[in-house]
Amino acid sequence: MEEVTFKIAQESKVRKKPSFIKPWLGLKYLFKKPVTIKIPYEMTEPAKDYRGFHTLNWKTCIGCNMCGQICPARAIEMTWIEGEKRPHPKIDYGRCTFCQFCVEVCPTGALGFVESYMLTTEWKEEELQLFDWVPIPPEKFREIQEARRDWKFPVERMEFNKETGEVTYHLRDGTEFRFRILGYGLKPPAAKPAENKEAEKSAEKQE
Amino acid sequence: MIETALKVLFILLYATFVGFMFMGIIRIVTARIHRRVGPPIYQPILDTIKLLSKESNITHGFIYDFGILYAVGATILAVMFIPLGSIGVLRAYGDLILITFLLEIPMLGIMFAAMSSGNPWAGIGAQRALLTLLAIQVPLGFAVIALAEYYGTFSTYEIVMAQQISGWSIAHFPLLLAAIAYDLVLQAMFGKEPFDIMIAPGEISLGPMVEFGGKHMGLLNIQHAIALFAETLFFSNIFLGGGVVTAFSSPVLNTIAGLLVLLVKQIAVLLVATFMAAIFPRFTIDQAAKFYWKWPTIIAALGAILASL
Ligand code: SF4
Ligand code: SF4
């Protein structure tokens, strides 16, 4: 058998003698400049590609639900939007862990992310809607991020009409972003009952 | 009569305000030692205002309320006996033992209130506090004896006057020993590390203070502020030569100068305590008792013996 030698540090070298004098060295920072970032007045720069909020290129997303399948928190729900042939992912930041697996797995690169990470709301129902969104296109998000550089969520206010499914994002640069949600899930909504059943069957078969 | 009442009011306001500033200084200095910025100096005042304006105030009965008032009252009484420069209401009666005693009474008041809350954490805290109180008595006693032996009087005011002639107490070797012992005791009286065993944040979740909230805690904050002022004032008076200034011809200027001199001395005492608190970890209660009965006692006893030779 091969002989293995382990290196073990000597107890006597590791153990320090207790002292009443040495703790006073702790005072050496008393007149140094504090190492503090005064947050409301100074900003910190997040690292490049810091894992923040998502962006979605609506033109290239093919609605394959890869992102929904890999999401460990099941934060992604497919959403059917009026005028789009394929469903798009809707991300619930109440559950999202910002692991960005969904970005990694997206076959077309439609899902992306930016460095913004600040999203605070009050407990009010209408403000809590901010946590649940279909990400906006990356160019728009970047534009807002560059304009302010305070790393906040780009949507100031969200209006959601439950009956008509109309959603309005009031973006921070003052523009509005509107679309209409027709339904959720993998199956296209508003289809006739018969079709719906067929689609269900085919889905079952596929599984 | 009215003059005395005005004086009392002045001392009270001054002590509370300066006490709060001291609390702020402690927080800032501790922060700087940790390389933090820390809160603004008036932060303890804001804290206290916030506490006093709380809407819900839980009480556990008469003793629970009374203990706090008792603590505040005793602290205020202690301040009245300690000569504050040339201002003093009861300074002629301000005898060393009385003041030492009065400075410990608040602890008992807090203990009363804490024990009557029925919270086991408060009970543990109270036990620890009482043991600390017991432990500091021995060195404290010797330090007081050393002083009394050296100056031949128990009156604080006379000791201050004697220091005007013979120089600060700490300049004399036996009294220096007593001062060192007393300074170690101060650490426990302030409730600062390494002897903050009775409060022990993180260990027994604030000990006696665990049940207090709202106005009770606000009053305790005020008490703490005045106690900080009183304890540092007492130390500066008996060991650092007090604050009697006779350099100016006008008595008002003399008084103000005296207060300023005292303030500098008090802050010096406070800074030493803050430094110790920031760099030493907390003792366990048995270590603290052993420590107080060992080193400070030996030092203070030596001082007392040397002073009586
Ligand atoms: S974002 Fe990517 S992974 Fe998700 S549905 Fe669209 S194309 Fe598929
Ligand atoms: S970042 Fe992770 S947790 Fe969040 S939606 Fe994507 S896969 Fe799910």
Side-chain angles (χ1 to χ4, degrees):
Chain A
M1 241 176 99
E2 203 185 335
E3 223 172 79
V4 187
T5 47
F6 292 100
K7 282 192 180 171
I8 298 173
Q10 298 258 295
E11 177 83 13
S12 57
K13 289 200 177 136
V14 180
R15 176 164 291 167
K16 293 263 170 27
K17 276 209 190 75
S19 157
F20 277 117
I21 313 296
K22 276 189 191 154
W24 292 93
L25 290 179
L27 295 182
K28 66 185 166 199
Y29 296 120
L30 188 57
F31 296 109
K32 296 246 172 81
K33 197 169 167 292
V35 189
T36 301
I37 300 163
K38 298 184 178 173
I39 277 299
Y41 317 109
E42 293 172 42
M43 291 308 288
T44 51
E45 194 88 350
K48 193 177 172 302
D49 288 341
Y50 180 84
R51 297 204 305 263
F53 298 124
H54 297 85
T55 59
L56 178 69
N57 188 337
W58 290 34
K59 303 235 169 55
T60 52
C61 175
I62 52 168
C64 61
N65 195 29
M66 288 284 212
C67 47
Q69 283 186 31
I70 203 164
C71 176
R74 302 206 179 169
I76 291 182
E77 191 182 15
M78 282 300 149
T79 308
W80 291 86
I81 290 162
E82 197 180 42
E84 302 279 327
K85 285 197 208 80
R86 303 286 192 150
H88 292 326
K90 174 174 73 60
I91 300 181
D92 177 0
Y93 284 133
R95 316 182 69 165
C96 174
T97 60
F98 296 94
C99 60
Q100 251 54 303
F101 284 177
C102 48
V103 175
E104 205 71 5
V105 83
C106 179
T108 62
L111 208 57
F113 63 92
V114 290
E115 292 87 359
S116 291
Y117 57 93
M118 297 240 280
L119 170 54
T120 52
T121 63
E122 283 180 38
W123 49 269
K124 289 179 200 136
E125 201 61 48
E126 62 267 25
E127 286 198 28
L128 290 177
Q129 277 171 6
L130 283 179
F131 283 89
D132 212 2
W133 78 328
V134 179
I136 56 173
E139 305 79 43
K140 191 74 197 162
F141 201 147
R142 291 251 171 228
E143 195 188 310
I144 295 172
Q145 194 183 45
E146 287 310 310
R148 311 269 178 117
R149 295 191 79 77
D150 55 1
W151 320 109
K152 284 192 184 147
F153 196 61
V155 184
E156 242 170 10
R157 199 156 49 82
M158 231 179 240
E159 267 171 45
F160 182 56
N161 190 332
K162 277 235 172 70
E163 262 126 59
T164 59
E166 265 178 46
V167 185
T168 315
Y169 293 170
H170 295 272
L171 298 183
R172 296 185 65 216
D173 58 358
T175 52
E176 283 177 7
F177 190 86
R178 277 173 211 275
F179 55 93
R180 199 155 88 90
I181 293 181
L182 297 173
Y184 300 101
L186 291 177
K187 286 160 289 184
K192 280 173 195 125
E195 276 180 28
N196 215 354
K197 254 184 201 158
E198 259 175 28
E200 221 165 77
K201 263 182 204 155
S202 63
E204 267 165 32
K205 263 180 210 161
Q206 273 172 17
E207 272 168 22
Chain B
M1 188 61 215
I2 288 182
E3 200 190 334
T4 320
L6 279 180
K7 262 189 193 168
V8 169
L9 198 66
F10 170 76
I11 295 179
L12 199 55
L13 287 179
Y14 182 73
T16 318
F17 179 73
V18 176
F20 276 127
M21 291 297 120
F22 282 0
M23 284 163 86
I25 290 177
I26 290 179
R27 291 181 67 169
I28 290 180
V29 171
T30 315
R32 286 299 149 85
I33 293 172
H34 301 160
R35 303 198 82 173
R36 288 183 287 117
V37 174
I41 194 167
Y42 50 82
Q43 183 67 35
I45 298 185
L46 299 185
D47 290 349
T48 309
I49 292 175
K50 183 206 98 180
L51 284 169
L52 289 178
S53 55
K54 285 265 178 192
E55 269 174 27
S56 64
N57 287 289
I58 295 162
T59 177
H60 295 281
F62 175 67
I63 293 289
Y64 188 74
D65 302 333
F66 173 73
I68 307 267
L69 290 181
Y70 182 70
V72 177
T75 321
I76 292 173
L77 191 61
V79 180
M80 294 305 153
F81 277 111
I82 310 173
L84 176 59
S86 49
I87 317 165
V89 187
L90 299 168
R91 68 179 180 201
Y93 315 99
D95 147 322
L96 285 181
I97 292 179
L98 179 70
I99 297 175
T100 320
F101 174 69
L102 277 178
L103 287 179
E104 280 159 14
I105 287 282
M107 193 100 89
L108 290 179
I110 298 170
M111 289 313 114
F112 282 158
M115 289 300 253
S116 74
S117 71
N119 187 317
W121 292 120
I124 294 174
Q127 278 179 11
R128 290 166 161 221
L130 292 180
L131 192 54
T132 319
L133 207 59
L134 192 67
I136 62 174
Q137 297 306 315
V138 188
L140 198 56
F142 277 120
V144 169
I145 291 174
L147 271 172
E149 266 302 331
Y150 192 87
Y151 289 111
T153 172
F154 270 113
S155 158
T156 314
Y157 190 61
E158 273 169 39
I159 288 178
V160 173
M161 285 336 241
Q163 287 179 65
Q164 290 290 317
I165 303 158
S166 64
W168 291 8
S169 290
I170 52 166
H172 312 295
F173 183 65
L175 292 185
L176 178 64
L177 294 180
I180 291 171
Y182 199 102
D183 199 58
L184 290 172
V185 167
L186 264 189
Q187 212 69 14
M189 284 173 44
F190 287 154
K192 290 245 143 255
E193 272 117 336
F195 302 108
D196 66 340
I197 312 143
M198 54 192 177
I199 304 170
E203 197 179 327
I204 50 167
S205 62
L206 279 193
M209 315 301 189
V210 67
E211 277 288 299
F212 299 125
K215 299 206 169 46
H216 293 89
M217 200 65 211
L219 276 179
L220 275 184
N221 258 4
I222 295 177
Q223 185 269 331
H224 186 61
I226 305 181
L228 266 185
F229 181 82
E231 280 150 12
T232 48
L233 182 65
F234 189 49
F235 189 92
S236 330
N237 264 323
I238 56 178
F239 289 113
L240 302 181
V244 181
V245 177
T246 45
F248 303 102
S249 48
S250 118
V252 178
L253 272 183
N254 273 341
T255 311
I256 292 173
L259 284 184
L260 284 180
V261 169
L262 259 183
L263 201 62
V264 171
K265 288 174 182 172
Q266 280 176 288
I267 289 176
V269 178
L270 193 74
L271 283 184
V272 173
T274 317
F275 292 164
M276 269 205 254
I279 59 180
F280 287 109
R282 185 181 307 137
F283 276 57
T284 62
I285 184 65
D286 54 323
Q287 285 168 341
K290 265 188 211 142
F291 177 83
Y292 273 127
W293 285 334
K294 206 163 160 196
W295 295 112
T297 305
I298 294 172
I299 294 171
L302 202 63
I305 294 168
L306 288 179
S308 65
L309 289 182

